[in-house]
Amino acid sequence: MLNGKGEQFRISTQTSEIILKAAAEYNYFPNRIARGLRLEKTETIGLIVPDIANQFFSSMAKTIEIESRKNGYSIFLCDSLDNISTEKELLNLLAARKVDGIILAPVGTGSDHINEFSKNGIPVVIIDRYLPDTKIPYITTDNYLGACQAMEHILAMGHRVVACIQGLNGISANEDRVRGYKDTLNNNSIAVDNSLIVGDDFGEETGYVQAKLLMKRNNPPTAIFALSNLISLGAMRAISESGLKIPDDISLVSFDDQPYSALLASPMTTVEQEKDEIAVRAVNILLERITGAKDERVIEKIMIKPKLIIRKSVREM
Amino acid sequence: MLNGKGEQFRISTQTSEIILKAAAEYNYFPNRIARGLRLEKTETIGLIVPDIANQFFSSMAKTIEIESRKNGYSIFLCDSLDNISTEKELLNLLAARKVDGIILAPVGTGSDHINEFSKNGIPVVIIDRYLPDTKIPYITTDNYLGACQAMEHILAMGHRVVACIQGLNGISANEDRVRGYKDTLNNNSIAVDNSLIVGDDFGEETGYVQAKLLMKRNNPPTAIFALSNLISLGAMRAISESGLKIPDDISLVSFDDQPYSALLASPMTTVEQEKDEIAVRAVNILLERITGAKDERVIEKIMIKPKLIIRKSVREM
DNA sequence: CTGTTAGCGCGTTCAT
DNA sequence: ATGAACGCGCTAACAG
């Protein structure tokens, strides 16, 4: 009876005002649980991220929460701890909680469980990467383009031996970045040296360990392209421990701009992902699927252009 | 019927196994919405923070989510945008969603709405600060102690003119830190110069503007104590723009350790808050109040000791 | 020990 | 134009 629109259908002025005053006076709010049970929609969205403490995900979470709330939806926050079986459990948990839809930043390379899950009728939108051979809409950064932009800059500054510390092998975000790295080298007539492509996860430790190894090579790289903010953080730690300076001794470019990027020992050149746009569009696409506003045979596959922010971490050779 | 414990009360082996297999086979999960309506508890917790994109809150959110999930609870994430009327709306929203409890990192200085809200029976636990004259349990950093530790270090390094860029005036976290700053000066027989206590919010801009002004003084401070991570970020920007170096030209200590603190131009000495412990204890206290496990006349008022991490941003005079 | 039923609060439908 | 009754899926209470 007090659903806020029922009144408009019948009496406009009198009843509405009385009801509203009474509601305010008695501090009445409709029970969303009962409403959810009855309507078979809860106006909730599940958000699963591998690590909410990571600035990249927390700033998208912020935008997702705000944009969802504007539309009456609340967010169940779930941290999959970068663990694929946790991610699986979380999908089931959210299903049991009858969320209307899920925004998922997947973990690892396996995706069978996601494809399987998406058959159950709860709409899923994927962010940050995409799955091969899937019917699930996604919205990510154009990682290939971002890597090309970064590499073009490094090469334009005169570097010829450029290492790449990559993240988790096999996922689209990583593969696209590596492909951009290789293609840009090739386009500039520099042979790809596979021994300069190292690393296997997006964590800080990978950056640290691999940077140390790279610096010990006989023919060390003059520049490093780090494929995540944590990798560059680790690489900086290694470089700093070795007594070397950026960019004098070695240059560094990182994927993912951070609030502190401009304030580092050497303000860092980064590939900035348009997190806000990814987040807003993910919410809007999900809401369209929830409300059925759009032909669901259309699978959105969206890549947002990143932006190269040139600071002072690449030396001119 | 399928609540997972009913079986244990009756048949142990046979029925349980049959049910479990059937449940797995048909991929059945009990509907948590219906359950919530029936039991009048939803096993959900509302988390309200002023800015989830802030590392300080996002890492606590991570721990809160994980710790809650261990106990079967899911988290509604709400970002109050540092806006007190949004915070108010969110409290009501969470009440309408029938959360079993709320963890709140409050915004601003006003707290009447929180006291008012807490009378409605939904348990609230406050983190990051405390409210004056309230019956709501809280768990925060011992901000007074943290400020004393930082100031003792600065003074021990020989500084005598030390500025303090503070955050939002009037809230406990800020007042306790300022009190620690003043008391430590007094204990070391240095008169407090109120013109060296500047700033009025925790943002980056405050740090930037106030640091610029401080450096222009006739008798500029040799050290700055920044009362938040964003303030120190802004101060660093100002110092860097002025062509000055930390710690050679000016020393800096900041509240809130960050992942990048060790990797800055000058690795920064910080007061690290024990975020994990605050988060875990907040969840546990809230759960105790939800389940009624503890005498609710006991109002927990907990302060966790912070840790001074000494790096290289303070010069020996 | 097992099967049946009432009712949580809402929105919808059907009957006035 | 309004009011009464039903049912969403679950669990607790009760009857058999």
Side-chain angles (χ1 to χ4, degrees):
Chain A
M1 46 170 121
L2 249 183
N3 55 7
K5 70 177 177 182
E7 281 76 0
Q8 295 184 347
F9 273 67
R10 307 185 180 180
I11 307 175
S12 46
T13 44
Q14 282 190 307
T15 314
S16 294
E17 279 185 27
I18 293 169
I19 300 281
L20 286 172
K21 274 184 192 167
E25 187 153 352
Y26 290 93
N27 209 29
Y28 171 81
F29 296 92
N31 181 331
R32 301 278 230 130
I33 297 298
R35 184 186 159 93
L37 185 61
R38 176 67 242 260
L39 295 182
E40 292 180 346
K41 56 173 187 158
T42 54
E43 292 171 313
T44 58
I45 290 173
L47 172 64
I48 306 179
V49 295
D51 177 19
I52 188 63
N54 182 329
Q55 154 87 25
F56 177 70
F57 294 114
S58 66
S59 56
M60 286 202 295
K62 185 184 181 90
T63 310
I64 287 170
E65 199 272 317
I66 292 162
E67 192 70 14
S68 300
R69 186 167 2 122
K70 274 188 206 161
N71 292 278
Y73 288 76
S74 295
I75 296 293
F76 275 119
L77 174 67
C78 300
D79 192 308
S80 62
L81 296 167
D82 233 319
N83 179 317
I84 203 155
S85 74
T86 304
E87 178 178 298
K88 231 164 156 171
E89 284 169 30
L90 287 170
L91 286 168
N92 288 330
L93 171 62
L94 291 173
R97 290 214 181 268
K98 301 291 168 196
V99 297
D100 295 340
I102 291 174
I103 296 177
L104 171 63
V107 147
T109 52
S111 59
D112 291 349
H113 62 295
I114 302 174
N115 285 318
E116 190 58 35
F117 179 87
S118 75
K119 288 176 191 158
N120 75 359
I122 299 179
V124 177
V125 172
I126 289 178
I127 54 175
D128 185 40
R129 71 187 63 164
Y130 54 87
L131 268 33
D133 313 319
T134 184
K135 288 185 172 176
I136 305 174
Y138 65 80
I139 169 148
T140 72
T141 296
D142 189 335
N143 288 296
Y144 177 77
L145 178 63
C148 291
Q149 291 171 340
M151 287 300 295
E152 287 291 0
H153 173 65
I154 292 171
L155 297 182
M157 294 292 270
H159 293 267
R160 287 298 170 267
V161 185
V162 183
C164 171
I165 308 183
Q166 65 179 328
L168 185 59
N169 298 185
I171 71 167
S172 66
N174 188 70
E175 301 311 308
D176 289 353
R177 292 173 194 179
V178 171
R179 196 160 48 83
Y181 163 85
K182 288 180 176 173
D183 284 3
T184 308
L185 286 173
N186 282 330
N187 291 345
N188 286 270
S189 310
I190 301 173
V192 172
D193 175 353
N194 279 315
S195 72
L196 284 171
I197 305 175
V198 296
D200 53 10
D201 84 64
F202 286 111
E204 196 259 3
E205 197 62 17
T206 291
Y208 177 78
V209 171
Q210 296 302 337
K212 283 241 158 176
L213 291 173
L214 285 169
M215 289 184 293
K216 280 187 194 145
R217 285 168 61 104
N218 287 333
N219 181 24
T222 62
I224 294 177
F225 180 29
L227 296 198
S228 87
N229 58 330
L230 289 176
I231 291 174
S232 57
L233 218 49
M236 280 188 287
R237 187 157 65 90
I239 291 165
S240 161
E241 265 186 24
S242 305
L244 267 43
K245 295 261 178 252
I246 300 171
D248 307 14
D249 303 310
I250 189 160
S251 296
L252 181 65
V253 172
S254 176
F255 235 91
D256 303 342
D257 194 60
Q258 296 283 312
Y260 57 79
S261 298
L263 295 152
L264 290 164
S266 171
M268 190 161 46
T269 295
T270 59
V271 179
E272 182 186 30
Q273 304 193 51
E274 301 284 349
K275 305 178 198 110
D276 284 356
E277 191 175 349
I278 293 176
V280 168
R281 297 189 68 168
V283 171
N284 290 337
I285 289 171
L286 185 61
L287 291 181
E288 281 177 0
R289 296 184 95 79
I290 288 173
T291 58
K294 217 165 184 179
D295 185 342
E296 66 175 34
R297 287 167 307 185
V298 180
I299 312 293
E300 290 91 344
K301 298 169 187 293
I302 298 175
M303 290 199 180
I304 307 288
K305 280 192 173 48
K307 211 166 67 187
L308 183 68
I309 302 180
I310 297 176
R311 298 198 181 93
K312 299 178 185 298
S313 62
V314 180
R315 174 186 161 197
E316 182 138 25
M317 299 296 275
Chain B
M1 48 171 119
L2 249 182
N3 55 7
K5 69 177 177 181
E7 281 76 359
Q8 295 184 345
F9 273 68
R10 308 186 178 180
I11 306 174
S12 47
T13 44
Q14 281 190 308
T15 313
S16 294
E17 278 185 29
I18 293 170
I19 299 281
L20 285 172
K21 273 183 193 167
E25 188 153 351
Y26 291 93
N27 208 28
Y28 169 82
F29 296 92
N31 181 331
R32 301 278 229 129
I33 297 298
R35 184 186 159 93
L37 184 61
R38 178 64 243 257
L39 295 183
E40 293 181 343
K41 55 173 188 159
T42 53
E43 291 171 315
T44 58
I45 289 172
L47 171 64
I48 306 179
V49 295
D51 177 19
I52 188 63
N54 181 331
Q55 154 86 25
F56 177 69
F57 294 113
S58 66
S59 56
M60 287 203 295
K62 185 185 182 86
T63 309
I64 287 170
E65 198 273 315
I66 292 161
E67 192 70 13
S68 300
R69 183 160 13 115
K70 274 188 207 161
N71 292 280
Y73 288 75
S74 294
I75 297 294
F76 276 120
L77 174 66
C78 300
D79 192 309
S80 62
L81 296 167
D82 234 319
N83 178 318
I84 202 153
S85 73
T86 305
E87 179 177 296
K88 231 163 156 172
E89 283 170 28
L90 288 170
L91 285 168
N92 288 330
L93 171 62
L94 291 172
R97 290 213 180 270
K98 301 292 167 195
V99 296
D100 295 340
I102 292 175
I103 296 177
L104 171 63
V107 148
T109 51
S111 60
D112 291 349
H113 62 295
I114 303 174
N115 284 318
E116 191 57 35
F117 179 86
S118 76
K119 289 177 191 158
N120 75 357
I122 299 179
V124 176
V125 171
I126 288 179
I127 55 176
D128 186 39
R129 73 186 63 161
Y130 55 87
L131 267 34
D133 313 318
T134 184
K135 288 186 174 178
I136 306 174
Y138 64 81
I139 169 149
T140 71
T141 295
D142 189 335
N143 288 296
Y144 177 76
L145 178 63
C148 291
Q149 291 171 341
M151 286 300 295
E152 288 290 359
H153 173 65
I154 292 172
L155 297 182
M157 295 292 272
H159 293 266
R160 289 297 170 268
V161 185
V162 183
C164 172
I165 308 183
Q166 65 178 329
L168 186 58
N169 298 185
I171 70 167
S172 66
N174 188 70
E175 301 310 310
D176 288 353
R177 291 173 195 180
V178 171
R179 196 160 48 83
Y181 163 84
K182 288 180 176 174
D183 284 4
T184 308
L185 286 174
N186 283 329
N187 291 344
N188 286 270
S189 310
I190 301 173
V192 171
D193 176 352
N194 278 316
S195 73
L196 284 171
I197 305 175
V198 296
D200 53 8
D201 84 64
F202 286 109
E204 198 258 3
E205 197 62 17
T206 291
Y208 177 78
V209 171
Q210 298 301 337
K212 283 243 161 176
L213 291 174
L214 285 169
M215 290 184 293
K216 279 188 195 143
R217 286 167 61 105
N218 287 334
N219 180 25
T222 61
I224 293 177
F225 179 28
L227 296 197
S228 88
N229 58 329
L230 289 176
I231 290 175
S232 57
L233 218 49
M236 280 188 286
R237 188 158 64 91
I239 292 165
S240 161
E241 267 187 22
S242 305
L244 267 42
K245 295 263 178 249
I246 301 171
D248 307 15
D249 302 310
I250 190 161
S251 297
L252 180 66
V253 173
S254 176
F255 235 91
D256 302 343
D257 194 60
Q258 297 282 313
Y260 58 78
S261 298
L263 294 152
L264 289 163
S266 171
M268 191 161 46
T269 295
T270 59
V271 180
E272 182 187 30
Q273 304 194 51
E274 301 284 348
K275 304 178 197 108
D276 284 356
E277 191 176 348
I278 292 175
V280 168
R281 298 190 67 168
V283 171
N284 290 337
I285 289 171
L286 185 61
L287 291 182
E288 280 177 359
R289 296 184 94 79
I290 289 173
T291 58
K294 217 165 183 180
D295 184 341
E296 66 175 32
R297 286 166 307 182
V298 180
I299 312 294
E300 290 91 344
K301 299 168 186 293
I302 298 174
M303 289 200 179
I304 307 289
K305 280 191 172 50
K307 213 166 65 187
L308 182 69
I309 303 180
I310 297 176
R311 296 199 181 92
K312 299 179 183 299
S313 61
V314 180
R315 174 186 162 198
E316 183 139 23
M317 297 296 278

